[in-house]
Amino acid sequence: MRLDVLTLFPDFIDHSARIGVVGRARERGLIDIRCWNPRDYASGNYRRVDERPFGGGPGMLMMIEPLRACLAAARAAGVTAPVIHLSPQGERLTQATVRRLAALPRLLLLCGRYEGIDERLIAHEVDEEISIGDYVLSGGELGAAVLIDAIGRLQEGALNDADSARQDSFEDGLLDCPHYTRSESAGTAGVPAVLLSGDHAAIARWRRQQSLGRTWLRRPDLLARMSLDEADRSLLASYRRDWLAALAQPSAAGDGD
Ligand code: 9D3
């Protein structure tokens, strides 16, 4: 997959995409990332890339000419990808959106700085606006890096066997179960007995129950959108019973882990 990123901070995108699974995907040629910097298309000695908004106010906007020239240069170099603007006004990113975008052959990610970009450029050039969550960042680069990471690891061949075998949190709509390392020094104290039992069916049941229970406790919004089968409903019911029983004995109250 080819990813073009329009950004005033190409080094940030470059460095973050060199790490871990995505870095490996890049080395294997599964993703190809190119950055386009509006500053390279700014004019004058100062190569300004910000300007004041109509209507006044304290903030600056990204200057429109370098943005337009930068986009035009990418297009002239053959970049025909759909344009995604990382923006606080965008639709919130979900794993479903990540899956849809990861299946495309190319994308152009547009990162804003300052208070953002001219609405006319958004109207004419942008296909989709995406936010990574309800908090305030200082620019779109972290959003682009998040998107690149989530998309990169889904490219065919990016994950090793251990990674792919693992069920992803959110892929099946549930949070992950707790994990415990096989550490000599930490020993087995505090490790749930079932994980030491060697009973693989019981372990799978326990893990599923923990996933269901933690989702119920921490992300009821995720659970509300799922339809559980009989086995899951029964696992969750017994998790709830144990959790409510633990509430009656305050010393044991917790996550039920
Ligand atoms: C006057 C209000 N502005 C600043 C507090 C609005 C504002 C402008 C520009 C808020 C943030 C930004 C820069 N943010 C992004 O470019 C961004 C973002 C984000 O802030 N939150 C979540 N996802 C994203 S994706 C891009």
Side-chain angles (χ1 to χ4, degrees):
M1 180 173 187
R2 165 75 180 256
L3 292 160
D4 290 89
V5 186
L6 191 153
T7 171
L8 286 170
F9 298 99
D11 289 351
F12 178 89
I13 300 295
D14 233 68
H15 285 291
S16 66
R18 280 183 198 286
I19 295 164
V21 169
V22 172
R24 216 167 54 221
R26 210 176 177 192
E27 281 167 12
R28 290 178 182 168
L30 304 174
I31 49 173
D32 180 12
I33 300 171
R34 305 275 171 87
C35 289
W36 300 85
N37 189 345
R39 195 171 297 275
D40 296 338
Y41 301 87
S43 51
N45 280 341
Y46 297 100
R47 294 197 168 271
R48 276 197 76 137
V49 290
D50 63 337
E51 66 190 339
R52 296 156 62 207
F54 277 128
M60 300 296 272
L61 292 171
M62 283 182 84
M63 196 170 169
I64 196 162
E65 289 85 357
L67 271 182
R68 283 206 170 119
C70 188
L71 263 176
R75 294 258 159 75
V79 177
T80 56
V83 177
I84 292 187
H85 176 215
L86 283 308
S87 156
Q89 283 71 245
E91 186 172 306
R92 212 158 44 189
L93 185 63
T94 63
Q95 189 64 16
T97 302
V98 170
R99 277 193 298 269
R100 171 170 61 79
L101 299 177
L104 300 176
R106 47 186 169 258
L107 281 177
L108 195 158
L109 307 180
L110 175 53
C111 303
R113 277 278 149 177
Y114 319 116
E115 293 302 308
I117 69 181
D118 190 292
E119 195 63 27
R120 293 163 292 186
L121 192 126
I122 297 174
H124 287 116
E125 307 281 3
V126 170
D127 296 290
E128 196 167 338
E129 293 193 280
I130 291 179
S131 158
I132 62 163
D134 295 339
Y135 36 80
V136 181
L137 301 173
S138 51
E141 284 76 12
L142 269 165
V146 164
L147 199 50
I148 291 169
D149 188 279
I151 284 174
R153 61 184 292 286
L154 288 188
Q155 299 303 304
E156 190 74 49
L159 297 180
N160 57 38
D161 290 346
D163 291 327
S164 348
R166 226 189 93 239
Q167 268 288 358
D168 262 326
S169 174
F170 296 112
E171 287 294 354
D172 68 355
L174 293 176
L175 301 185
D176 210 354
C177 63
H179 303 286
Y180 300 85
T181 57
R182 270 187 210 243
S183 148
E184 285 289 333
S185 62
T188 60
V191 178
V194 64
L195 297 179
L196 310 171
S197 70
D199 181 344
H200 296 296
I203 290 169
R205 257 193 323 276
W206 179 85
R207 286 181 168 155
R208 182 73 186 173
Q209 182 173 49
Q210 290 293 314
S211 283
L212 289 160
R214 296 175 128 196
T215 308
W216 170 65
L217 284 173
R218 301 179 188 190
R219 294 295 306 275
D221 57 310
L222 293 179
L223 208 54
R225 282 188 268 126
M226 294 185 63
S227 52
L228 303 181
D229 65 16
E230 186 50 48
D232 279 346
R233 281 203 300 275
S234 150
L235 284 173
L236 181 54
S238 84
Y239 184 99
R240 280 194 181 116
R241 269 196 304 279
D242 292 350
W243 190 82
L244 291 169
L247 267 192
Q249 308 165 337
S251 60
D255 233 23
D257 300 346

Short mmCIF file of all heavy atoms in Angstrom, two decimals, residues 108-170:
data_model
loop_
_atom_site.label_atom_id
_atom_site.label_comp_id
_atom_site.label_asym_id
_atom_site.label_seq_id
_atom_site.Cartn_x
_atom_site.Cartn_y
_atom_site.Cartn_z
N LEU A 108 -3.80 9.45 0.62
CA LEU A 108 -3.02 10.66 0.89
C LEU A 108 -3.54 11.25 2.20
O LEU A 108 -4.73 11.56 2.32
CB LEU A 108 -3.15 11.66 -0.26
CG LEU A 108 -2.12 12.80 -0.29
CD1 LEU A 108 -2.01 13.37 -1.69
CD2 LEU A 108 -2.48 13.94 0.66
N LEU A 109 -2.65 11.34 3.19
CA LEU A 109 -3.04 11.85 4.50
C LEU A 109 -2.63 13.31 4.61
O LEU A 109 -1.46 13.66 4.39
CB LEU A 109 -2.38 11.04 5.61
CG LEU A 109 -2.59 9.52 5.53
CD1 LEU A 109 -1.89 8.82 6.70
CD2 LEU A 109 -4.08 9.17 5.51
N LEU A 110 -3.59 14.14 4.94
CA LEU A 110 -3.35 15.59 5.00
C LEU A 110 -3.34 16.02 6.47
O LEU A 110 -4.34 15.87 7.18
CB LEU A 110 -4.48 16.28 4.22
CG LEU A 110 -4.59 17.79 4.18
CD1 LEU A 110 -3.29 18.43 3.75
CD2 LEU A 110 -5.72 18.20 3.24
N CYS A 111 -2.17 16.50 6.94
CA CYS A 111 -2.01 16.88 8.35
C CYS A 111 -2.06 18.40 8.49
O CYS A 111 -1.24 19.10 7.89
CB CYS A 111 -0.68 16.39 8.89
SG CYS A 111 -0.43 14.62 8.72
N GLY A 112 -2.97 18.89 9.31
CA GLY A 112 -3.04 20.31 9.59
C GLY A 112 -2.16 20.69 10.78
O GLY A 112 -1.77 19.84 11.58
N ARG A 113 -1.82 21.96 10.85
CA ARG A 113 -1.15 22.56 12.01
C ARG A 113 -1.87 23.86 12.32
O ARG A 113 -2.78 24.26 11.60
CB ARG A 113 0.34 22.84 11.72
CG ARG A 113 1.21 21.62 11.91
CD ARG A 113 1.57 21.43 13.38
NE ARG A 113 1.74 20.02 13.71
CZ ARG A 113 2.11 19.59 14.92
NH1 ARG A 113 2.36 20.46 15.90
NH2 ARG A 113 2.19 18.32 15.17
N TYR A 114 -1.46 24.53 13.37
CA TYR A 114 -2.12 25.77 13.82
C TYR A 114 -3.61 25.47 14.06
O TYR A 114 -3.94 24.40 14.57
CB TYR A 114 -1.90 26.90 12.81
CG TYR A 114 -0.50 26.92 12.25
CD1 TYR A 114 -0.25 26.68 10.92
CD2 TYR A 114 0.59 27.11 13.11
CE1 TYR A 114 1.06 26.66 10.42
CE2 TYR A 114 1.89 27.10 12.63
CZ TYR A 114 2.11 26.87 11.28
OH TYR A 114 3.39 26.82 10.80
N GLU A 115 -4.51 26.39 13.68
CA GLU A 115 -5.93 26.15 13.91
C GLU A 115 -6.57 25.32 12.79
O GLU A 115 -7.75 25.00 12.86
CB GLU A 115 -6.68 27.47 14.06
CG GLU A 115 -6.30 28.25 15.32
CD GLU A 115 -6.53 27.45 16.60
OE1 GLU A 115 -7.63 26.93 16.79
OE2 GLU A 115 -5.57 27.36 17.42
N GLY A 116 -5.78 25.01 11.76
CA GLY A 116 -6.33 24.16 10.71
C GLY A 116 -6.14 24.72 9.32
O GLY A 116 -5.28 25.59 9.10
N ILE A 117 -6.94 24.22 8.37
CA ILE A 117 -6.78 24.63 6.98
C ILE A 117 -8.06 25.27 6.45
O ILE A 117 -9.14 25.09 7.02
CB ILE A 117 -6.32 23.45 6.08
CG1 ILE A 117 -7.42 22.41 5.92
CG2 ILE A 117 -5.07 22.80 6.66
CD1 ILE A 117 -6.98 21.24 5.07
N ASP A 118 -7.93 26.00 5.38
CA ASP A 118 -9.03 26.73 4.74
C ASP A 118 -10.15 25.77 4.34
O ASP A 118 -9.90 24.74 3.73
CB ASP A 118 -8.49 27.46 3.49
CG ASP A 118 -9.49 28.43 2.91
OD1 ASP A 118 -10.53 27.97 2.38
OD2 ASP A 118 -9.22 29.65 2.95
N GLU A 119 -11.39 26.14 4.71
CA GLU A 119 -12.54 25.25 4.47
C GLU A 119 -12.75 24.98 2.98
O GLU A 119 -13.24 23.91 2.60
CB GLU A 119 -13.80 25.87 5.09
CG GLU A 119 -14.98 24.91 5.23
CD GLU A 119 -14.71 23.73 6.17
OE1 GLU A 119 -13.87 23.86 7.09
OE2 GLU A 119 -15.34 22.67 5.97
N ARG A 120 -12.37 25.93 2.11
CA ARG A 120 -12.56 25.73 0.67
C ARG A 120 -11.65 24.63 0.15
O ARG A 120 -12.03 23.85 -0.74
CB ARG A 120 -12.28 27.04 -0.08
CG ARG A 120 -13.33 28.11 0.23
CD ARG A 120 -12.84 29.47 -0.18
NE ARG A 120 -11.72 29.92 0.67
CZ ARG A 120 -11.18 31.14 0.59
NH1 ARG A 120 -11.63 32.01 -0.29
NH2 ARG A 120 -10.19 31.47 1.40
N LEU A 121 -10.45 24.52 0.74
CA LEU A 121 -9.54 23.45 0.34
C LEU A 121 -10.10 22.09 0.79
O LEU A 121 -10.04 21.11 0.05
CB LEU A 121 -8.16 23.69 0.93
CG LEU A 121 -7.06 22.80 0.35
CD1 LEU A 121 -5.91 23.65 -0.16
CD2 LEU A 121 -6.54 21.82 1.38
N ILE A 122 -10.68 22.07 2.00
CA ILE A 122 -11.31 20.83 2.48
C ILE A 122 -12.44 20.43 1.53
O ILE A 122 -12.54 19.29 1.09
CB ILE A 122 -11.85 21.01 3.92
CG1 ILE A 122 -10.69 21.30 4.89
CG2 ILE A 122 -12.62 19.77 4.37
CD1 ILE A 122 -11.12 21.64 6.31
N ALA A 123 -13.26 21.42 1.16
CA ALA A 123 -14.42 21.13 0.30
C ALA A 123 -13.99 20.58 -1.06
O ALA A 123 -14.62 19.67 -1.58
CB ALA A 123 -15.26 22.40 0.13
N HIS A 124 -12.89 21.11 -1.61
CA HIS A 124 -12.50 20.73 -2.97
C HIS A 124 -11.58 19.52 -3.04
O HIS A 124 -11.57 18.80 -4.03
CB HIS A 124 -11.83 21.92 -3.68
CG HIS A 124 -12.80 22.98 -4.07
ND1 HIS A 124 -12.76 24.25 -3.55
CD2 HIS A 124 -13.88 22.93 -4.90
CE1 HIS A 124 -13.76 24.96 -4.06
NE2 HIS A 124 -14.46 24.19 -4.87
N GLU A 125 -10.77 19.32 -2.01
CA GLU A 125 -9.70 18.33 -2.12
C GLU A 125 -9.86 17.11 -1.21
O GLU A 125 -9.23 16.08 -1.46
CB GLU A 125 -8.35 18.98 -1.79
CG GLU A 125 -8.03 20.24 -2.58
CD GLU A 125 -7.53 19.93 -3.99
OE1 GLU A 125 -7.49 18.74 -4.38
OE2 GLU A 125 -7.18 20.89 -4.70
N VAL A 126 -10.66 17.25 -0.15
CA VAL A 126 -10.68 16.19 0.87
C VAL A 126 -11.86 15.24 0.66
O VAL A 126 -12.98 15.67 0.44
CB VAL A 126 -10.72 16.81 2.28
CG1 VAL A 126 -10.98 15.75 3.35
CG2 VAL A 126 -9.42 17.56 2.57
N ASP A 127 -11.57 13.93 0.73
CA ASP A 127 -12.63 12.93 0.57
C ASP A 127 -13.23 12.53 1.91
O ASP A 127 -14.39 12.15 1.99
CB ASP A 127 -12.04 11.69 -0.12
CG ASP A 127 -11.59 12.01 -1.53
OD1 ASP A 127 -12.46 12.25 -2.37
OD2 ASP A 127 -10.36 12.05 -1.77
N GLU A 128 -12.41 12.58 2.96
CA GLU A 128 -12.87 12.06 4.24
C GLU A 128 -12.10 12.75 5.36
O GLU A 128 -10.91 13.01 5.22
CB GLU A 128 -12.58 10.55 4.25
CG GLU A 128 -13.29 9.78 5.29
CD GLU A 128 -13.21 8.25 5.03
OE1 GLU A 128 -12.98 7.84 3.86
OE2 GLU A 128 -13.36 7.52 6.00
N GLU A 129 -12.79 13.08 6.45
CA GLU A 129 -12.12 13.68 7.61
C GLU A 129 -12.18 12.70 8.77
O GLU A 129 -13.23 12.16 9.08
CB GLU A 129 -12.77 15.00 7.98
CG GLU A 129 -12.56 16.08 6.93
CD GLU A 129 -12.93 17.45 7.47
OE1 GLU A 129 -14.13 17.76 7.50
OE2 GLU A 129 -12.02 18.19 7.86
N ILE A 130 -11.03 12.49 9.41
CA ILE A 130 -10.94 11.52 10.50
C ILE A 130 -10.29 12.14 11.72
O ILE A 130 -9.25 12.80 11.63
CB ILE A 130 -10.14 10.27 10.05
CG1 ILE A 130 -10.96 9.50 9.02
CG2 ILE A 130 -9.80 9.38 11.24
CD1 ILE A 130 -10.26 8.26 8.48
N SER A 131 -10.93 11.93 12.88
CA SER A 131 -10.38 12.31 14.19
C SER A 131 -9.94 11.04 14.89
O SER A 131 -10.53 9.98 14.68
CB SER A 131 -11.46 13.02 15.01
OG SER A 131 -11.16 12.96 16.39
N ILE A 132 -8.90 11.11 15.71
CA ILE A 132 -8.50 9.89 16.44
C ILE A 132 -9.08 9.85 17.85
O ILE A 132 -8.82 8.91 18.58
CB ILE A 132 -6.97 9.67 16.46
CG1 ILE A 132 -6.24 10.81 17.16
CG2 ILE A 132 -6.44 9.46 15.05
CD1 ILE A 132 -4.81 10.43 17.55
N GLY A 133 -9.86 10.86 18.25
CA GLY A 133 -10.50 10.78 19.56
C GLY A 133 -10.84 12.15 20.10
O GLY A 133 -10.42 13.17 19.54
N ASP A 134 -11.57 12.17 21.17
CA ASP A 134 -12.07 13.42 21.72
C ASP A 134 -11.10 14.04 22.71
O ASP A 134 -11.31 14.00 23.93
CB ASP A 134 -13.45 13.20 22.37
CG ASP A 134 -14.48 12.81 21.33
OD1 ASP A 134 -14.27 13.08 20.14
OD2 ASP A 134 -15.51 12.22 21.71
N TYR A 135 -10.01 14.55 22.20
CA TYR A 135 -9.02 15.30 22.97
C TYR A 135 -8.32 16.21 21.98
O TYR A 135 -8.39 15.98 20.77
CB TYR A 135 -8.02 14.36 23.66
CG TYR A 135 -7.68 13.16 22.85
CD1 TYR A 135 -6.75 13.23 21.81
CD2 TYR A 135 -8.33 11.94 23.06
CE1 TYR A 135 -6.45 12.14 21.03
CE2 TYR A 135 -8.04 10.84 22.28
CZ TYR A 135 -7.11 10.94 21.27
OH TYR A 135 -6.83 9.86 20.49
N VAL A 136 -7.64 17.22 22.49
CA VAL A 136 -7.06 18.23 21.60
C VAL A 136 -5.58 17.98 21.38
O VAL A 136 -4.79 17.95 22.33
CB VAL A 136 -7.27 19.66 22.18
CG1 VAL A 136 -6.68 20.70 21.23
CG2 VAL A 136 -8.75 19.93 22.42
N LEU A 137 -5.20 17.78 20.14
CA LEU A 137 -3.80 17.64 19.75
C LEU A 137 -3.34 18.97 19.17
O LEU A 137 -4.14 19.87 18.92
CB LEU A 137 -3.64 16.54 18.71
CG LEU A 137 -4.10 15.14 19.12
CD1 LEU A 137 -4.04 14.19 17.93
CD2 LEU A 137 -3.25 14.61 20.26
N SER A 138 -2.04 19.07 18.89
CA SER A 138 -1.55 20.32 18.32
C SER A 138 -1.37 20.23 16.81
O SER A 138 -0.90 21.17 16.18
CB SER A 138 -0.25 20.74 19.01
OG SER A 138 0.66 19.68 19.00
N GLY A 139 -1.75 19.09 16.22
CA GLY A 139 -1.65 18.96 14.78
C GLY A 139 -2.06 17.57 14.33
O GLY A 139 -2.32 16.69 15.17
N GLY A 140 -2.10 17.35 13.03
CA GLY A 140 -2.60 16.10 12.49
C GLY A 140 -1.59 14.96 12.43
O GLY A 140 -1.96 13.82 12.16
N GLU A 141 -0.29 15.25 12.69
CA GLU A 141 0.74 14.22 12.49
C GLU A 141 0.55 12.99 13.37
O GLU A 141 0.74 11.86 12.91
CB GLU A 141 2.14 14.80 12.71
CG GLU A 141 2.65 15.66 11.55
CD GLU A 141 2.01 17.04 11.50
OE1 GLU A 141 1.35 17.43 12.48
OE2 GLU A 141 2.16 17.72 10.47
N LEU A 142 0.21 13.22 14.65
CA LEU A 142 -0.01 12.05 15.52
C LEU A 142 -1.18 11.23 15.01
O LEU A 142 -1.15 9.99 15.05
CB LEU A 142 -0.24 12.48 16.97
CG LEU A 142 1.02 12.57 17.81
CD1 LEU A 142 0.78 13.35 19.08
CD2 LEU A 142 1.51 11.16 18.13
N GLY A 143 -2.21 11.90 14.51
CA GLY A 143 -3.34 11.19 13.91
C GLY A 143 -2.92 10.36 12.72
O GLY A 143 -3.30 9.20 12.58
N ALA A 144 -2.09 10.96 11.85
CA ALA A 144 -1.59 10.23 10.68
C ALA A 144 -0.75 9.04 11.12
O ALA A 144 -0.87 7.94 10.56
CB ALA A 144 -0.77 11.15 9.79
N ALA A 145 0.09 9.23 12.15
CA ALA A 145 0.94 8.13 12.63
C ALA A 145 0.09 7.00 13.20
O ALA A 145 0.39 5.82 12.99
CB ALA A 145 1.92 8.65 13.69
N VAL A 146 -0.98 7.36 13.89
CA VAL A 146 -1.90 6.35 14.44
C VAL A 146 -2.53 5.56 13.29
O VAL A 146 -2.58 4.33 13.30
CB VAL A 146 -2.99 7.03 15.30
CG1 VAL A 146 -4.16 6.10 15.55
CG2 VAL A 146 -2.39 7.49 16.63
N LEU A 147 -3.01 6.29 12.29
CA LEU A 147 -3.65 5.65 11.14
C LEU A 147 -2.67 4.74 10.40
O LEU A 147 -3.00 3.61 10.03
CB LEU A 147 -4.20 6.74 10.22
CG LEU A 147 -5.27 6.35 9.22
CD1 LEU A 147 -6.40 5.57 9.86
CD2 LEU A 147 -5.83 7.62 8.56
N ILE A 148 -1.44 5.24 10.20
CA ILE A 148 -0.42 4.45 9.49
C ILE A 148 -0.09 3.18 10.26
O ILE A 148 0.04 2.10 9.69
CB ILE A 148 0.86 5.29 9.25
CG1 ILE A 148 0.58 6.40 8.23
CG2 ILE A 148 2.02 4.41 8.79
CD1 ILE A 148 1.69 7.44 8.14
N ASP A 149 0.01 3.28 11.58
CA ASP A 149 0.29 2.11 12.41
C ASP A 149 -0.83 1.08 12.29
O ASP A 149 -0.58 -0.10 12.04
CB ASP A 149 0.47 2.54 13.88
CG ASP A 149 0.95 1.40 14.75
OD1 ASP A 149 0.13 0.57 15.17
OD2 ASP A 149 2.17 1.33 15.00
N ALA A 150 -2.07 1.55 12.45
CA ALA A 150 -3.21 0.64 12.44
C ALA A 150 -3.40 0.00 11.06
O ALA A 150 -3.73 -1.18 10.96
CB ALA A 150 -4.48 1.39 12.86
N ILE A 151 -3.16 0.77 10.01
CA ILE A 151 -3.29 0.27 8.63
C ILE A 151 -2.12 -0.65 8.29
O ILE A 151 -2.30 -1.70 7.68
CB ILE A 151 -3.34 1.46 7.63
CG1 ILE A 151 -4.71 2.13 7.67
CG2 ILE A 151 -3.02 0.99 6.21
CD1 ILE A 151 -4.78 3.40 6.81
N GLY A 152 -0.92 -0.24 8.70
CA GLY A 152 0.30 -0.97 8.36
C GLY A 152 0.29 -2.40 8.88
O GLY A 152 0.66 -3.33 8.16
N ARG A 153 -0.15 -2.57 10.13
CA ARG A 153 -0.11 -3.90 10.72
C ARG A 153 -1.14 -4.84 10.10
O ARG A 153 -1.05 -6.05 10.28
CB ARG A 153 -0.27 -3.84 12.24
CG ARG A 153 -1.58 -3.25 12.71
CD ARG A 153 -1.63 -3.12 14.22
NE ARG A 153 -1.69 -4.41 14.89
CZ ARG A 153 -2.77 -5.18 14.93
NH1 ARG A 153 -3.88 -4.81 14.33
NH2 ARG A 153 -2.75 -6.34 15.56
N LEU A 154 -2.12 -4.26 9.36
CA LEU A 154 -3.12 -5.11 8.70
C LEU A 154 -2.70 -5.53 7.30
O LEU A 154 -3.39 -6.31 6.65
CB LEU A 154 -4.47 -4.39 8.62
CG LEU A 154 -5.25 -4.22 9.93
CD1 LEU A 154 -6.64 -3.67 9.65
CD2 LEU A 154 -5.35 -5.55 10.69
N GLN A 155 -1.58 -5.00 6.80
CA GLN A 155 -1.14 -5.40 5.46
C GLN A 155 -0.73 -6.88 5.49
O GLN A 155 -0.08 -7.33 6.43
CB GLN A 155 0.03 -4.52 4.99
CG GLN A 155 -0.31 -3.04 4.89
CD GLN A 155 -1.48 -2.76 3.95
OE1 GLN A 155 -1.46 -3.14 2.80
NE2 GLN A 155 -2.53 -2.13 4.48
N GLU A 156 -1.13 -7.60 4.45
CA GLU A 156 -0.84 -9.03 4.34
C GLU A 156 0.66 -9.27 4.53
O GLU A 156 1.46 -8.68 3.79
CB GLU A 156 -1.30 -9.51 2.97
CG GLU A 156 -1.28 -11.01 2.78
CD GLU A 156 -2.40 -11.71 3.53
OE1 GLU A 156 -3.56 -11.27 3.40
OE2 GLU A 156 -2.09 -12.68 4.26
N GLY A 157 1.04 -10.07 5.53
CA GLY A 157 2.45 -10.39 5.74
C GLY A 157 3.15 -9.50 6.76
O GLY A 157 4.31 -9.71 7.06
N ALA A 158 2.42 -8.53 7.32
CA ALA A 158 3.04 -7.60 8.29
C ALA A 158 3.19 -8.25 9.66
O ALA A 158 4.17 -8.00 10.37
CB ALA A 158 2.23 -6.32 8.40
N LEU A 159 2.23 -9.08 10.04
CA LEU A 159 2.26 -9.70 11.36
C LEU A 159 2.93 -11.06 11.28
O LEU A 159 2.75 -11.79 10.31
CB LEU A 159 0.84 -9.86 11.90
CG LEU A 159 0.05 -8.57 12.13
CD1 LEU A 159 -1.34 -8.88 12.65
CD2 LEU A 159 0.78 -7.64 13.09
N ASN A 160 3.71 -11.40 12.31
CA ASN A 160 4.25 -12.76 12.37
C ASN A 160 3.16 -13.70 12.87
O ASN A 160 2.06 -13.27 13.24
CB ASN A 160 5.51 -12.82 13.23
CG ASN A 160 5.25 -12.31 14.63
OD1 ASN A 160 4.19 -12.55 15.20
ND2 ASN A 160 6.23 -11.62 15.19
N ASP A 161 3.45 -15.01 12.89
CA ASP A 161 2.41 -16.00 13.22
C ASP A 161 1.79 -15.75 14.58
O ASP A 161 0.57 -15.83 14.75
CB ASP A 161 3.00 -17.41 13.19
CG ASP A 161 3.32 -17.83 11.76
OD1 ASP A 161 2.85 -17.14 10.83
OD2 ASP A 161 4.04 -18.82 11.58
N ALA A 162 2.64 -15.43 15.57
CA ALA A 162 2.15 -15.22 16.93
C ALA A 162 1.14 -14.07 16.95
O ALA A 162 0.08 -14.17 17.57
CB ALA A 162 3.30 -14.94 17.88
N ASP A 163 1.49 -13.00 16.24
CA ASP A 163 0.60 -11.83 16.20
C ASP A 163 -0.73 -12.17 15.54
O ASP A 163 -1.79 -11.80 16.04
CB ASP A 163 1.24 -10.68 15.41
CG ASP A 163 2.44 -10.09 16.12
OD1 ASP A 163 2.43 -10.09 17.37
OD2 ASP A 163 3.38 -9.66 15.44
N SER A 164 -0.65 -12.87 14.39
CA SER A 164 -1.88 -13.13 13.65
C SER A 164 -2.77 -14.12 14.36
O SER A 164 -4.00 -14.02 14.30
CB SER A 164 -1.61 -13.64 12.24
OG SER A 164 -0.28 -13.48 11.89
N ALA A 165 -2.14 -15.08 15.04
CA ALA A 165 -2.92 -16.09 15.74
C ALA A 165 -3.72 -15.45 16.87
O ALA A 165 -4.81 -15.89 17.21
CB ALA A 165 -2.02 -17.18 16.29
N ARG A 166 -3.14 -14.41 17.43
CA ARG A 166 -3.78 -13.74 18.56
C ARG A 166 -5.05 -13.04 18.11
O ARG A 166 -5.07 -12.34 17.11
CB ARG A 166 -2.81 -12.72 19.14
CG ARG A 166 -2.73 -12.75 20.65
CD ARG A 166 -1.93 -11.57 21.17
NE ARG A 166 -2.81 -10.48 21.50
CZ ARG A 166 -2.73 -9.27 20.96
NH1 ARG A 166 -1.84 -9.01 20.06
NH2 ARG A 166 -3.57 -8.33 21.33
N GLN A 167 -6.12 -13.23 18.87
CA GLN A 167 -7.35 -12.51 18.58
C GLN A 167 -7.18 -11.06 19.04
O GLN A 167 -6.80 -10.80 20.16
CB GLN A 167 -8.53 -13.15 19.32
CG GLN A 167 -9.26 -14.19 18.53
CD GLN A 167 -10.09 -13.60 17.39
OE1 GLN A 167 -10.15 -12.39 17.23
NE2 GLN A 167 -10.71 -14.45 16.62
N ASP A 168 -7.45 -10.14 18.16
CA ASP A 168 -7.30 -8.74 18.51
C ASP A 168 -8.46 -8.24 19.34
O ASP A 168 -9.60 -8.56 19.06
CB ASP A 168 -7.26 -7.88 17.24
CG ASP A 168 -5.84 -7.55 16.85
OD1 ASP A 168 -5.02 -7.39 17.77
OD2 ASP A 168 -5.59 -7.46 15.66
N SER A 169 -8.11 -7.41 20.32
CA SER A 169 -9.14 -6.65 21.00
C SER A 169 -9.82 -5.81 19.91
O SER A 169 -9.16 -5.33 19.00
CB SER A 169 -8.47 -5.75 22.03
OG SER A 169 -9.40 -4.89 22.62
N PHE A 170 -11.10 -5.67 19.97
CA PHE A 170 -11.90 -4.91 19.00
C PHE A 170 -12.19 -5.70 17.72
O PHE A 170 -13.21 -5.46 17.09
CB PHE A 170 -11.27 -3.56 18.61
CG PHE A 170 -11.17 -2.62 19.76
CD1 PHE A 170 -9.94 -2.28 20.27
CD2 PHE A 170 -12.30 -2.09 20.35
CE1 PHE A 170 -9.83 -1.41 21.35
CE2 PHE A 170 -12.21 -1.22 21.42
CZ PHE A 170 -10.98 -0.89 21.92
#
